[in-house]
Amino acid sequence: MTVKTRKVSNTTVLTVPSSFKVPENIDFEPSINERGDIIYRRVEHISENRKKDIHTFMNQFQPVADYLKDK
């Protein structure tokens, strides 16, 4: 399967085949490598509750990290 770029206003558009079943309103971060390959990576959003859980978990190990940093 191949897809072609097309021009829409001042933007070049690359379509995603429906067979990929990519849902709408998902954020992707585009990048281009040295060969000119375009890569789209899904941006994972972390909920505020999940962030709080991560900080709570990491804070448990702060005293150990402080103790070991100068060893």
Side-chain angles (χ1 to χ4, degrees), residues 53-67:
D53 290 345
I54 291 168
H55 284 287
T56 300
F57 177 80
M58 294 301 293
N59 287 340
Q60 293 177 36
F61 297 99
Q62 191 61 48
V64 175
D66 290 339
Y67 173 77

Side-chain angles (χ1 to χ4, degrees), residues 20-26 28 42:
F20 287 7
K21 299 184 186 328
V22 176
E24 291 183 15
N25 298 314
I26 301 296
F28 287 87
R42 182 189 296 248

Side-chain angles (χ1 to χ4, degrees), residues 1 12 18-20 23 30 43 46-49 55 57 62 70:
M1 166 191 330
T12 302
S18 60
S19 62
F20 287 7
V43 175
I46 300 174
S47 70
E48 289 304 314
N49 284 340
H55 284 287
F57 177 80
Q62 191 61 48
D70 295 327

Side-chain angles (χ1 to χ4, degrees), residues 15-49:
T15 59
V16 177
S18 60
S19 62
F20 287 7
K21 299 184 186 328
V22 176
E24 291 183 15
N25 298 314
I26 301 296
D27 292 327
F28 287 87
E29 183 176 304
S31 63
I32 190 164
N33 67 16
E34 63 279 350
R35 290 182 9 170
D37 299 324
I38 299 170
I39 301 159
Y40 285 89
R41 298 195 190 281
R42 182 189 296 248
V43 175
E44 297 292 336
H45 297 285
I46 300 174
S47 70
E48 289 304 314
N49 284 340

